[in-house]
Amino acid sequence: TKTDQATIEDLAIHLRLALEELGPTFVKLGQILSTRPDLLPARFIKELSKLQDAVPPVSWDSIEQVIKDELGDSLENIFYNIDPTPIAAASLAQVHSALLLNGEQVVVKIQRPHIMKIIDRDLDVLADLAERFQTTAFGQTADLVGIADEFAFTLRNELNYRREAHNAERFQKNFSHEAYVYIPKVYWELTTNRVLVLERIHGIKIDDIEALEAHNYNRHQLAENAARIIIKEILEDGFFHADPHPGNLVVMPGQVIGAMDFGMVGFLNDNDR
């Protein structure tokens, strides 16, 4: 009935608002749940898809201190310049553009100060909630404890930037003979658990159809290239980018797809492939 539909819609909205108010861990959880129609009704999926983890940036003084602490040097000895205004600010980190002393353009991903303490606290709460709800009727149809454990594992891995750098290099190796994808270079000498420096790549956001048309990109070829990436990741490599939303993919000349943000990856064993 219309009344039932309105009630479900209200519940979905209240869930999204509650997750936003609870903070970064629960926003991330909601984003993942928005991809699980096997667990939640369609109206909840639609509402959770609106979750954004864009937040006001941390002060430049705080971010500068994290870089100094991690790299053990002043910024003037590392960068020719670095823009104090971030090009992206999310709940776990923010990204700044910079120029190295040799003139190479890079992006610098810096973990927010004290975010690990917040994440650890929230994950403990989430684990407790999962155990409690596992005994309910909903818990009989889903492994809530397993989902919470997998989420905690994924989120903690996402906060280890050396692991993300290794992920990027693994993608580079897997696609080294494929001209239709570009993975940015890792600057290992400037990368730690909390700071990641990558080559800056430029392109058109992959879902900006108007801009792609204006630059005469072949969208049919682009779609084929996107499909090739997925097929190779899933069926050949068993190692895939687990967060391929439009903000992490750009189109470069020649219908080449440039990928970014390698914090979330997935694995498939031989039997699954």
Side-chain angles (χ1 to χ4, degrees), residues 165-183:
H166 280 294
N167 291 340
E169 288 207 331
R170 183 167 177 178
F171 280 117
Q172 271 186 336
K173 181 179 179 181
N174 288 349
F175 285 93
S176 60
H177 300 297
E178 312 297 340
Y180 53 84
V181 64
Y182 190 86
I183 309 296

Side-chain angles (χ1 to χ4, degrees), residues 79 81-83 85-88 95-100 102-109 172 182-187 196-203 250 252 258-262:
F79 305 104
N81 64 49
I82 181 168
D83 191 344
T85 302
I87 55 177
V95 179
H96 293 254
S97 62
L99 202 64
L100 297 182
N102 63 5
E104 294 180 2
Q105 294 184 25
V106 296
V107 291
V108 186
K109 182 177 181 179
Q172 271 186 336
Y182 190 86
I183 309 296
K185 169 187 173 182
V186 177
Y187 290 83
L196 172 63
V197 177
L198 294 173
E199 169 191 4
R200 185 171 188 181
I201 60 175
H202 299 275
V250 296
M252 304 167 72
M260 297 174 283
D261 196 346
F262 307 96

Side-chain angles (χ1 to χ4, degrees), residues 143-160:
D143 180 9
L144 300 180
V145 172
I147 292 171
D149 287 345
E150 183 177 351
F151 172 68
F153 176 78
T154 300
L155 188 55
R156 287 194 171 105
N157 282 344
E158 191 176 348
L159 287 167
N160 182 339

Side-chain angles (χ1 to χ4, degrees), residues 14-33:
H14 287 143
L15 175 61
R16 174 179 62 80
L17 293 173
L19 292 174
E20 287 178 337
E21 187 172 343
L22 285 168
T25 307
F26 292 90
V27 168
K28 286 284 182 182
L29 177 63
Q31 290 171 338
I32 290 176
L33 289 175

Side-chain angles (χ1 to χ4, degrees), residues 170 234-239 267-273:
R170 183 167 177 178
I234 300 298
L235 298 181
E236 294 182 21
D237 302 332
F239 179 70
F267 304 86
L268 291 167
N269 61 34
D270 290 346
N271 286 336
D272 287 338
R273 295 213 300 278

